[in-house]
Amino acid sequence: MFAIHISGGTPISEQLFTHVSELIISGALKENEKLPAVREVAKSLGVNPNTVQKAYAILEQDGLI
């Protein structure tokens, strides 16, 4: 569901934030649709759950979720 580049120069949490933001703005993620669980996303991407939680927290602070 989420496309990130682990070896890129952009932090993973920022990539996740950007990607989810784009999905929300484009309408691919509908209003009141649940995001995948933090642990599920972390496991599928092979990243620390704290990284995903950070991206979700920024989305919440920005009022996107």
Side-chain angles (χ1 to χ4, degrees), residues 23-41:
L23 291 173
I24 292 169
I25 292 168
S26 72
L29 281 174
K30 306 293 182 205
E31 187 173 344
N32 296 323
E33 185 176 344
K34 283 186 151 188
L35 290 175
V38 169
R39 290 180 188 263
E40 179 184 323
V41 174

Side-chain angles (χ1 to χ4, degrees), residues 1-6 12-24 28-29 33-47 51-53 55-56 59 65:
M1 174 176 217
F2 303 119
I4 63 163
H5 303 284
I6 295 180
I12 296 169
S13 59
E14 188 176 323
Q15 291 181 55
L16 280 171
F17 167 80
T18 301
H19 190 67
V20 174
S21 297
E22 290 171 353
L23 291 173
I24 292 169
L29 281 174
E33 185 176 344
K34 283 186 151 188
L35 290 175
V38 169
R39 290 180 188 263
E40 179 184 323
V41 174
K43 184 177 179 181
S44 71
L45 296 175
V47 299
T51 301
V52 179
Q53 182 59 43
Y56 282 11
L59 288 162
I65 60 171

Side-chain angles (χ1 to χ4, degrees), residues 17 21 57-65:
F17 167 80
S21 297
I58 298 168
L59 288 162
E60 188 173 10
Q61 288 173 354
D62 286 357
L64 293 170
I65 60 171

